[in-house]
Amino acid sequence: MASAYNQSDGGRFGDSNIVGHEKCESYFLFRGETTLGEGFRTFLYFLGLAYCFIGLSAITARFFLSMENVVKHSRKVVEIDPHTNAEVIKYEKVWNYAIADISLLAFGTSFPQISLATIDAIQNIGKLYAGGLGPGTLVGSAAFDLFPIHAVCVVVPKAGELKKIADIGVWLVELFWSFWAYVWLYIILEVWTPNVITLWEALLTVLQYGLLLIHAYAQDKRWPYLSLPIPRTERPEEWVPGEPPSPKHENNVYGEYSEILQVGEENGNVVDIFSIHSNNDTGPVYQKVSVTDDAAESSNQHFHQEKDLHVLSLWKEQFVDALTLESLESRKLNCIHQRVARFSWQLILAPWRLLFAFVPPYQFAHGWIAFICSLLFISGIAYILTKLTDIISCVTGINAYVIAFTVLASGTSWPDLVASKIAAERQTTADSAIANITCSNSVNIYVGIGIPWLIDTAYNFFVYNEPLRIQNAAGLSFSLLVFFCASIGCIAVLVFRRLTLKAELGGPRFWAWVTFVYFMFALDYFCRALLPQSLWHYLIESFG
């Protein structure tokens, strides 16, 4: 891949001159691309962006399943019963739910933006001015998280179903750190050291993510002096309730090994095959066992062998599914047009499905390997997105910040949307769905902007003894102020719903859709306030 030339920034968002821009000699795969017309090249590159966004959505499903298994993992605690002198085996959850929401869910779904910003920083290393691709994507992504994802989560529950935040204290802590993140950015951009970022400012930005984790954990555990005296209500036993077993598993061609998957699914709980402790896995499990159990070791060895075989069977099934373009359900359709449409869609998805089949089954190693592999694939897609964005900017003359703020921001936020939608559908409360939105914005600042700035400032400090300069600090600061005001309006709606409907999500269909429309209009106003000309207006000017 050839890299695009760098364009100069100017104006509020670094709008570059469009009319009469130089012919772009950069290409994505083949040098012959430069002989094509600019309009056709732009169409192909935008098509590539859309295809990458489809890939992000596909890998997010595997990421969420792996994350569920990570959170479900329990540890074995052995105690001695003082009355019977027998061992009492207790299984306790390893992950705290508040920490899981902030670290696994919010960090994982924000990984496309974090990867994109980090790659942009690495490509920009050695320059005195910071790149604009990462911050542009993160600010636009924050707007997408705040408005459309809240809008979708409100209408996802069934008609009349109410889902409220069970732990208001933890949500208020997360909300405080989300608001403070944007206040902090404004302070370091406009107050302390205007238009530059020092090494210590970047380091403090990253460290505040750790403070968020500590404060949320302290609130969850109700530590004195560090937590708000707000009681917790209706906290679910499971982070995400399992889904009922699908017919696909009931008719699994692998026979006896499918029974291992069905253990613990009577109440809809899919159990990690490395963590099977009981038949329902709905909470802490206690078992009294004899101290002299000679058959335990041989039984465990046999069980682990069955589990290994089952994992291999599941992995093989992933490749079979990836290469199956027409399911049994599609073949039963009487309408030929629906069958052709489904077949065509599966054909489009086939390369992604085949690629992601290399991710090990999420039942393996408590989901950690699948979790890490999913993040690696997300990073790879983010790298391709940066290259495509550079070339589109080069071909059209549209500043990369504008593309990042609009197209990249919405596309890379699809994992946030998918994860919050799944949480709103499957969880009995609204905690994780709303926490993912709130904490994703915090993660975007503390990690997504903090780490790239830390990389560049550290290099500039030790090599040039210079800070990192922000060429468009005024535009970024203005974006933060507008977003801060919009956030207050969004949170006010959630508070109003809590006071009137007794829940943040769901409720009567009419009021759910009224909230949906409000959030989408708020997004439109936000974009109009920040973008003096839309991306489509740029395209009309360029090719009309």
Side-chain angles (χ1 to χ4, degrees):
M1 301 180 192
S3 60
Y5 66 85
N6 294 324
Q7 299 183 37
S8 61
D9 293 332
R12 180 186 295 176
F13 293 100
D15 302 334
S16 58
N17 185 22
I18 296 175
V19 181
H21 68 275
E22 298 178 5
K23 179 177 174 61
C24 179
E25 298 297 333
S26 301
Y27 57 91
F28 183 66
L29 293 175
F30 308 106
R31 186 173 295 275
E33 297 171 19
T34 58
T35 62
L36 301 175
E38 289 186 350
F40 186 61
R41 288 183 68 186
T42 303
F43 171 76
L44 290 179
Y45 295 143
F46 271 111
L47 202 63
L49 283 179
Y51 196 64
C52 288
F53 296 153
I54 292 174
L56 280 178
S57 300
I59 193 63
T60 300
R62 291 186 181 273
F63 161 79
F64 196 87
L65 288 173
S66 65
M67 184 183 59
E68 283 185 47
N69 260 28
V70 170
V71 177
K72 285 180 180 179
H73 178 45
S74 302
R75 64 169 175 263
K76 180 179 178 181
V77 178
V78 180
E79 298 176 352
I80 303 297
D81 191 326
H83 302 289
T84 62
N85 203 30
E87 285 187 355
V88 178
I89 300 177
K90 177 182 176 183
Y91 291 96
E92 297 178 342
K93 294 294 182 184
V94 173
W95 279 90
N96 175 270
Y97 290 158
I99 299 300
D101 285 338
I102 300 172
S103 57
L104 296 179
L105 183 60
F107 181 84
T109 55
S110 297
F111 204 71
Q113 300 96 308
I114 295 171
S115 299
L116 195 147
T118 305
I119 292 170
D120 183 51
I122 293 173
Q123 291 177 340
N124 198 60
I125 200 167
K127 299 178 182 178
L128 295 179
Y129 286 90
L133 187 61
T137 304
L138 292 166
V139 173
S141 175
F144 190 88
D145 287 349
L146 188 67
F147 300 115
I149 298 181
H150 268 124
V152 170
C153 289
V154 167
V155 299
V156 157
K158 299 176 182 178
E161 185 180 10
L162 296 172
K163 294 190 177 184
K164 65 180 182 180
I165 298 174
D167 199 332
I168 290 292
V170 171
W171 179 65
L172 288 177
V173 168
E174 295 166 348
L175 191 62
F176 164 78
W177 284 100
S178 178
F179 279 135
W180 168 249
Y182 292 94
V183 174
W184 167 255
L185 265 193
Y186 185 83
I187 290 173
I188 62 177
L189 285 173
E190 297 291 338
V191 180
W192 280 0
T193 54
N195 301 326
V196 299
I197 300 296
T198 65
L199 175 61
W200 304 112
E201 288 172 339
L203 184 61
L204 285 174
T205 302
V206 175
L207 291 178
Q208 286 180 74
Y209 178 64
L211 295 179
L212 164 61
L213 291 172
I214 295 172
H215 195 182
Y217 184 79
Q219 178 64 41
D220 185 76
K221 294 299 183 180
R222 299 304 191 268
W223 287 357
Y225 307 112
L226 292 178
S227 61
L228 300 171
I230 301 175
R232 177 191 299 119
T233 59
E234 302 176 9
R235 181 171 182 171
E237 290 291 337
E238 290 294 328
W239 186 71
V240 174
E243 293 178 325
S246 63
K248 179 180 176 180
H249 285 141
E250 291 176 359
N251 300 320
N252 195 309
V253 296
Y254 298 106
E256 61 177 322
Y257 299 121
S258 65
E259 296 177 2
I260 302 177
L261 184 63
Q262 302 302 320
V263 174
E265 290 189 348
E266 294 179 0
N267 296 325
N269 294 313
V270 181
V271 182
D272 182 347
I273 62 171
F274 279 12
S275 311
I276 296 178
H277 305 316
S278 68
N279 289 336
N280 52 25
D281 196 33
T282 56
V285 180
Y286 300 87
Q287 297 176 348
K288 287 191 177 182
V289 298
S290 172
V291 177
T292 59
D293 190 356
D294 299 331
E297 184 175 353
S298 60
S299 176
N300 287 337
Q301 290 177 353
H302 177 69
F303 183 62
H304 279 287
Q305 290 176 355
E306 286 189 336
K307 288 190 294 185
D308 293 339
L309 290 173
H310 175 59
V311 169
L312 293 176
S313 300
L314 288 177
W315 208 341
K316 178 182 177 181
E317 187 180 356
Q318 288 183 177
F319 286 94
V320 173
D321 290 342
L323 297 173
T324 303
L325 298 180
E326 191 173 21
S327 64
L328 182 61
E329 181 183 354
S330 297
R331 293 171 186 169
K332 293 180 181 179
L333 293 175
N334 295 325
C335 180
I336 187 64
H337 300 291
Q338 290 184 355
R339 288 188 62 181
V340 171
R342 288 198 177 191
F343 182 85
S344 301
W345 179 245
Q346 293 300 323
L347 189 63
I348 293 173
L349 291 179
W352 288 126
R353 294 176 63 185
L354 182 61
L355 180 64
F356 298 151
F358 287 95
V359 177
Y362 64 86
Q363 293 89 349
F364 181 65
H366 306 301
W368 274 112
I369 296 180
F371 182 85
I372 295 171
C373 289
S374 298
L375 294 183
L376 291 177
F377 274 114
I378 289 173
S379 297
I381 296 175
Y383 176 76
I384 297 175
L385 288 173
T386 59
K387 290 297 181 183
L388 286 172
T389 302
D390 284 342
I391 297 177
I392 291 174
S393 177
C394 174
V395 172
T396 63
I398 303 172
N399 187 267
Y401 184 95
V402 177
I403 302 174
F405 184 85
T406 53
V407 181
L408 277 187
S410 58
T412 55
S413 292
W414 271 104
D416 287 308
L417 175 61
V418 173
S420 290
K421 179 179 177 293
I422 293 173
E425 286 175 334
R426 295 181 57 188
Q427 282 198 332
T428 57
T429 68
D431 290 71
S432 292
I434 295 180
N436 179 48
I437 301 170
T438 307
C439 296
S440 290
N441 289 338
S442 302
V443 171
N444 284 344
I445 298 299
Y446 298 134
V447 181
I449 289 183
I451 287 183
W453 279 356
L454 184 60
I455 292 172
D456 286 342
T457 54
Y459 186 90
N460 288 1
F461 179 80
F462 290 109
V463 175
Y464 305 122
N465 196 25
E466 291 281 346
L468 181 67
R469 292 178 171 82
I470 308 298
Q471 192 165 11
N472 193 28
L476 185 57
S477 300
F478 180 79
S479 303
L480 297 174
L481 286 176
V482 174
F483 180 79
F484 186 84
C485 296
S487 300
I488 295 176
C490 177
I491 300 305
V493 171
L494 295 180
V495 173
F496 179 77
R497 285 179 56 88
R498 179 63 178 249
L499 295 176
T500 56
L501 300 176
K502 307 301 180 185
E504 289 80 11
L505 306 181
R509 261 298 179 245
F510 175 77
W511 293 112
W513 281 106
V514 167
T515 308
F516 178 92
V517 172
Y518 168 82
F519 282 136
M520 298 311 293
F521 270 112
L523 175 66
D524 178 70
Y525 173 78
F526 178 80
C527 292
R528 288 177 185 273
L530 291 185
L531 290 178
Q533 300 180 56
S534 69
L535 177 62
W536 310 117
H537 184 65
Y538 273 121
L539 293 177
I540 291 172
E541 271 195 8
S542 301
F543 309 112

